[in-house]
Amino acid sequence: MSKVKTAKAALEAVKEAIVKLHQPQGVSRQALSKYLKSECGLENPALLKAALKAGVDSKQLAQKGQSFLLFGTSFQQPVDEVLGIQEIEEGEGQACKAGDTVTMSYVGTLLSDGTRFDSSTSFSFELGAGEVIKGWDKGIVDMRVGQRRILTIPPKLGYGKRGSPPEIPGDATLVFDVTLKGIKS
């Protein structure tokens, strides 16, 4: 284990660590710090901070929040946060956007066994305000009146580990057949 003493050497060690730790969403500052401390003897947080800043400034590293990747690679969305959207019918008029009050009809089922847990012919909410599960806030944006979609919503964008007992068990992937009935801006 060689001791890293300069920002330039620390940046090279960071790039090597990012390759070895290979995280599609980027490697966190904390993971880099832990790895560099154990593998390179880098115990100076200011030196790591300077190396990361120099890497981003020189476009050798890309940063998203507290995570870093080698420049030129892209951050990938975690698989458990990927929303499935299948277009069934086209709509007409303006597309809805965050802040609009939308009126939906829907049927919600469990992906695991097709059990129907909810439905409505007229349900209204403010899009993007957190009044519904994240999968709805993300999956309904840009719909037009009359448009129909099938949303396949992973647990992280639905009800998570807890579910919504008794109808929705924990870690359930949900399927919603949704139709936009109206928009109020």
Side-chain angles (χ1 to χ4, degrees):
M1 165 172 45
S2 63
K3 204 100 156 123
V4 174
K5 296 181 181 178
T6 66
K8 185 175 180 179
L11 177 56
E12 291 306 313
V14 164
K15 293 185 331 188
E16 183 179 316
I18 289 172
V19 170
K20 287 189 177 182
L21 294 172
H22 183 65
Q23 297 292 319
Q25 296 83 37
V27 180
S28 71
R29 181 186 305 256
Q30 184 177 10
L32 285 168
S33 178
K34 185 176 179 181
Y35 178 87
L36 294 171
K37 183 177 182 180
S38 70
E39 297 297 316
C40 306
L42 177 59
E43 297 186 24
N44 181 344
L47 186 57
L48 175 58
K49 184 176 180 180
L52 292 171
K53 182 176 180 349
V56 170
D57 290 348
S58 66
K59 299 204 182 309
Q60 294 180 59
L61 299 177
Q63 180 178 5
K64 181 178 180 185
Q66 292 294 312
S67 294
F68 298 85
L69 280 178
L70 296 179
F71 192 79
T73 58
S74 59
F75 290 92
Q76 295 177 5
Q77 192 172 19
V79 173
D80 60 351
E81 293 181 20
V82 174
L83 173 67
I85 299 176
Q86 180 184 0
E87 302 293 346
I88 304 299
E89 292 177 27
E90 292 296 317
E92 296 180 355
Q94 282 291 109
C96 63
K97 61 189 178 316
D100 290 343
T101 298
V102 294
T103 302
M104 308 296 299
S105 67
Y106 70 91
V107 174
T109 58
L110 299 175
L111 179 66
S112 60
D113 63 5
T115 299
R116 183 174 170 164
F117 59 82
D118 197 11
S119 65
S120 177
T121 56
S122 182
F123 174 72
S124 298
F125 67 97
E126 183 180 335
L127 189 58
E131 295 176 3
V132 293
I133 59 175
K134 290 178 185 176
W136 269 50
D137 269 341
K138 291 181 174 192
I140 291 172
V141 169
D142 293 329
M143 285 183 74
R144 300 171 190 281
V145 173
Q147 188 169 355
R148 183 174 161 220
R149 288 180 176 169
I150 304 291
L151 305 177
T152 303
I153 302 175
K156 272 195 171 180
L157 300 179
Y159 293 98
K161 292 180 189 279
R162 292 181 132 179
S164 183
E167 295 86 6
I168 303 170
D171 285 325
T173 297
L174 311 174
V175 178
F176 283 94
D177 184 336
V178 297
T179 303
L180 181 61
K181 297 294 189 183
I183 304 170
K184 288 183 186 171
S185 294

